[in-house]
Amino acid sequence: MANIVLVGAQWGDEGKGKVIDLLTERADFIVRSQGGANAGHTVAIGDDEFVLHLIPSGILHPGKQCIIGNGVVLDPQALIEEIDTLTSKGVQIEGNLAISEATNVIMPYHKLLDGLREKLKGEGAIGTTLRGISPAYMDKVGYVGIRAVDLLDEAAFRRKLEMNLVEKNLLLAKLYDHEPLEADAVVEEYRGYTARIGRYVTNTEIILNRAIAEGKEILFEGAQGTLLDVDHGSYPFVTASSTTAGGACTGSGVGPTKIDMVMGVAKAYTSRVGGGPFPTEFTPEDDFVDRRADREYGATTGRTRRCGWFDAVVVNHSVRVNGLDAIALTKLDVMDNCERVKICVAYDDGGRRITDFPIDTAVLARVTPIYEEMDGWMAPTKHIRAYDELPANARAYVERLEALIGTPAKIISVGMKRAETIFVGTMPGEA
Ligand code: GDP
Ligand code: IMO
Ligand code: MG
C-alpha cells in the first residue's frame, strides 16, 4: 500500500469506518488527525459491531499501531470508556495506542460551554454533538489549551487550569448564570484519567516520521466530512477542525510530500445530521431511506439523519479541496428499490445556473437543485463482488457519478459487512 489519506466527501457518516477497516489490512499505522469524540465510525466484523469515536478504527485489527494525533481534541473520559468497551470485547489496546503530547485535552468547561452556547443561539443553533469540540478548539487557537503532555505534570496542569478558570468562571457566572467550577475537583478528576491514559502520551510525530522512513505504511483516518470543514464546509454549520486532506498533515506532523494518495468516501446518496442548508434533501415522496434498517441515525448522538439525493456540486467541491484521487462509493445497496434515481448536477439560483459550490451559506440555503434522472436497477446488489456483475442500470448510475465528479470509484460498498464490497481495478501500491 501507500500512505493514504481518507476523508469524508460529504457531511460525515459516509461509511468511513467500513472503508478504513478494509484499508487497514494493508497499513501498519492508522492515525486520527482531527476532530474528537464527535465522530462515530461503525465497523461490522462478523456478527459483532463496533462504534469507534476517538481511537482509530484500525485498533480492531490485531497488531496495528494506532495514533491519536496532535490535531485531535481528546476527551479523556470518552477515551477511557472506549478503551473499556473495546477491552471487554477482547480488543488489545496496550502496546497498540499512542497519543500525541500536543493533543489538546477536552476539559469539563468545554462540554458545559458547548451546551450553553447552543442553547443561547436558540433557532440559530448548529446542532453540535455537545462533545465540547468547538470550545476546545477555540482555546487551542486562543493559546490557552491544555495539552496531553500537561496531564503528565500536575503542577503545570493546575497552573494552566487555574488560569483558564478565571475566564471560564466569569463567563459561566455572568453570561450563563451557571455555578463556577472548582480547580481542586477538576485536578482530582483528571488525576484519575491520567492514571489510566498517561502512559499512552508520547511524541507521535517522531514515531510516524521514523516509521515512514522505514517504509511503513500509514493510513490517515478522516473524521466528519469535507462539508463540515471549518474553512471549506457550509460555514457556520460545520465542525471546528480541518476535515479535509490537509488536516491529515497538520494534525499529525507528517509532511504533504509523504502522502501518496487521497481517497474520499461518498455515499451513493447524501446525508447530514444537525442544522444547516442541504439542497438535495429529500421531499417526503422521494425519501426511500429506512432510517433504522439503513442505519441513518447518529452513531454518536442517536439523532435521525437527514437524507437526500447525490449532490455532484458538493462532491466536486470535495474533489477539488482535497485533491481526491479516487472515491469509495458506499451504500449503493440502499438504492436497490428505487424505480427512478436523481443526481443533482447543478443549482439554480433565481435563474442562474451554479456548478461551483457556493461559499456563501445564504446562497446554499436558497438554491434549488437541478436534477438528472435515470431508471433505477430494482435488483439486490448486496451479494455482488465484481463490478461487471452489477445490474446495468447500477453501473450506469455509478459511471454517471464518476463522469460528473471526474474521479473513479475504486471501492463500491454494497452492505455494512467487510465482504459486501466490490474492488474496482487495482488498489494503490498494487501493481
Ligand atoms: P462514518 O462516520 O463515516 O464511519 O459512518 P457511520 O458509521 O456513522 O455511518 C454509516 C452507517 O452505514 C454505519 O451503520 C455502517 O455500518 C453502514 N454502512 C457502511 N457502508 C454501508 C453499505 O455499503 N451499505 C449499507 N447498507 N450500510 C453501510
Ligand atoms: P463522523 O466522523 C456527521 C456535525 C454535528 C453538527 C456539526 C458540529 O461520524 O462522520 P460538533 O459537535 O462537531 O461541534 O458539531 O458537525 N458532526 C457530524 N456529523 N458525522 C460526524 O462525524 C460529525 N461530527 C460532527 O452534527 O452539525
Ligand atoms: Mg459517523
Side-chain angles (χ1 to χ4, degrees):
M1 199 169 90
N3 297 330
I4 298 185
V5 172
L6 192 95
V7 293
Q10 294 153 328
W11 272 284
D13 300 326
E14 296 92 346
K16 296 177 293 295
K18 170 173 169 173
V19 179
I20 293 154
D21 181 56
L22 292 170
L23 296 178
T24 292
E25 287 197 20
R26 306 153 196 245
D28 301 297
F29 284 78
I30 302 89
V31 184
R32 268 289 298 273
S33 51
Q34 44 70 228
N38 49 350
H41 300 168
T42 315
V43 183
I45 298 182
D47 291 331
D48 230 337
E49 203 177 306
F50 299 82
V51 181
L52 286 304
H53 300 287
L54 268 167
I55 301 181
S57 309
I59 199 77
L60 303 176
H61 290 242
K64 303 289 179 178
Q65 296 299 302
C66 292
I67 307 260
I68 296 180
N70 55 277
V72 170
V73 283
L74 179 90
D75 178 352
Q77 190 183 11
L79 178 64
I80 290 165
E81 274 171 30
E82 193 162 335
I83 290 173
D84 289 345
T85 308
L86 289 170
T87 308
S88 74
K89 291 188 169 190
V91 177
Q92 165 85 21
I93 308 285
E94 214 59 51
N96 295 333
L97 177 68
I99 301 168
S100 166
E101 293 170 317
T103 304
N104 276 244
V105 176
I106 297 212
M107 302 299 293
Y109 42 84
H110 294 138
K111 289 192 259 190
L112 204 53
L113 287 168
D114 198 351
L116 292 168
R117 287 175 70 218
E118 279 283 277
K119 219 159 130 194
L120 193 68
K121 283 186 178 155
E123 292 268 292
I126 303 299
T128 76
T129 60
L130 305 177
R131 297 298 186 274
I133 305 296
S134 163
Y137 279 115
M138 283 168 73
D139 280 356
K140 172 179 174 174
V141 298
Y143 318 144
V144 292
I146 295 181
R147 312 203 295 178
V149 71
D150 299 320
L151 294 173
L152 306 181
D153 176 349
E154 192 175 301
F157 177 83
R158 178 182 281 278
R159 209 169 47 245
K160 292 181 185 184
L161 172 68
E162 284 174 350
M163 186 186 77
N164 267 285
L165 284 182
V166 173
E167 189 190 2
K168 298 308 188 268
N169 280 339
L170 265 174
L171 199 60
L172 286 173
K174 304 272 185 214
L175 186 59
Y176 296 109
D177 195 22
H178 194 284
E179 73 247 29
L181 292 168
E182 298 288 341
D184 285 347
V186 178
V187 168
E188 196 179 319
E189 181 185 345
Y190 278 65
R191 188 185 297 139
Y193 299 150
T194 304
R196 290 287 314 276
I197 63 169
R199 62 178 172 282
Y200 302 116
V201 177
T202 182
N203 185 333
T204 56
E205 171 265 299
I206 292 287
I207 295 177
L208 280 172
N209 283 295
R210 282 200 183 128
I212 291 170
E214 287 166 11
K216 297 273 191 329
E217 316 219 356
I218 320 291
L219 173 63
F220 296 88
E221 164 173 344
Q224 290 81 49
T226 299
L227 278 293
L228 291 171
D229 184 277
V230 70
D231 290 283
H232 301 291
S234 49
Y235 194 86
F237 297 95
V238 294
T239 190
S241 66
S242 294
T243 63
T244 42
C249 293
T250 54
S252 67
V254 171
T257 52
K258 307 295 185 217
I259 308 297
D260 300 299
M261 187 200 193
V262 183
M263 184 183 264
V265 186
K267 267 180 197 169
Y269 49 99
T270 312
S271 74
R272 118 164 265 187
V273 57
F278 181 1
T280 64
E281 188 162 14
F282 287 136
T283 57
E285 311 82 69
D286 280 347
D287 195 342
F288 56 82
V289 178
D290 177 336
R291 298 297 187 281
R292 286 276 134 201
D294 299 328
R295 305 312 197 86
E296 292 300 4
Y297 52 90
T300 294
T301 57
R303 290 177 294 175
T304 299
R305 293 175 184 161
R306 302 157 66 192
C307 295
W309 296 108
F310 187 92
D311 186 337
V313 178
V314 158
V315 180
N316 257 316
H317 173 68
S318 289
V319 167
R320 270 193 308 274
V321 297
N322 293 296
L324 296 186
D325 295 302
I327 61 160
L329 190 70
T330 62
K331 305 194 85 159
L332 189 70
D333 56 296
V334 174
M335 301 183 78
D336 285 351
N337 296 324
C338 293
E339 269 177 55
R340 299 276 294 165
V341 294
K342 293 188 196 174
I343 307 170
C344 169
V345 295
Y347 299 148
D348 176 78
D349 182 22
R352 193 167 61 101
R353 186 184 168 97
I354 302 180
T355 50
D356 292 337
F357 182 76
I359 299 304
D360 184 354
T361 304
V363 177
L364 192 66
R366 70 173 183 237
V367 296
T368 49
I370 299 172
Y371 288 116
E372 246 176 49
E373 280 195 42
M374 301 171 81
D375 281 330
W377 44 98
M378 300 290 284
T381 53
K382 253 188 201 312
H383 61 286
I384 295 174
R385 301 292 171 264
Y387 184 72
D388 292 344
E389 287 164 23
L390 278 173
N393 285 353
R395 272 181 283 136
Y397 180 69
V398 172
E399 283 158 28
R400 186 66 191 129
L401 299 187
E402 289 177 320
L404 284 165
I405 63 172
T407 307
K410 284 271 181 193
I411 295 176
I412 298 173
S413 175
V414 289
M416 61 186 292
K417 301 229 161 95
R418 235 179 227 174
E420 290 163 341
T421 307
I422 300 168
F423 290 98
V424 188
T426 53
M427 288 301 292
E430 287 177 355

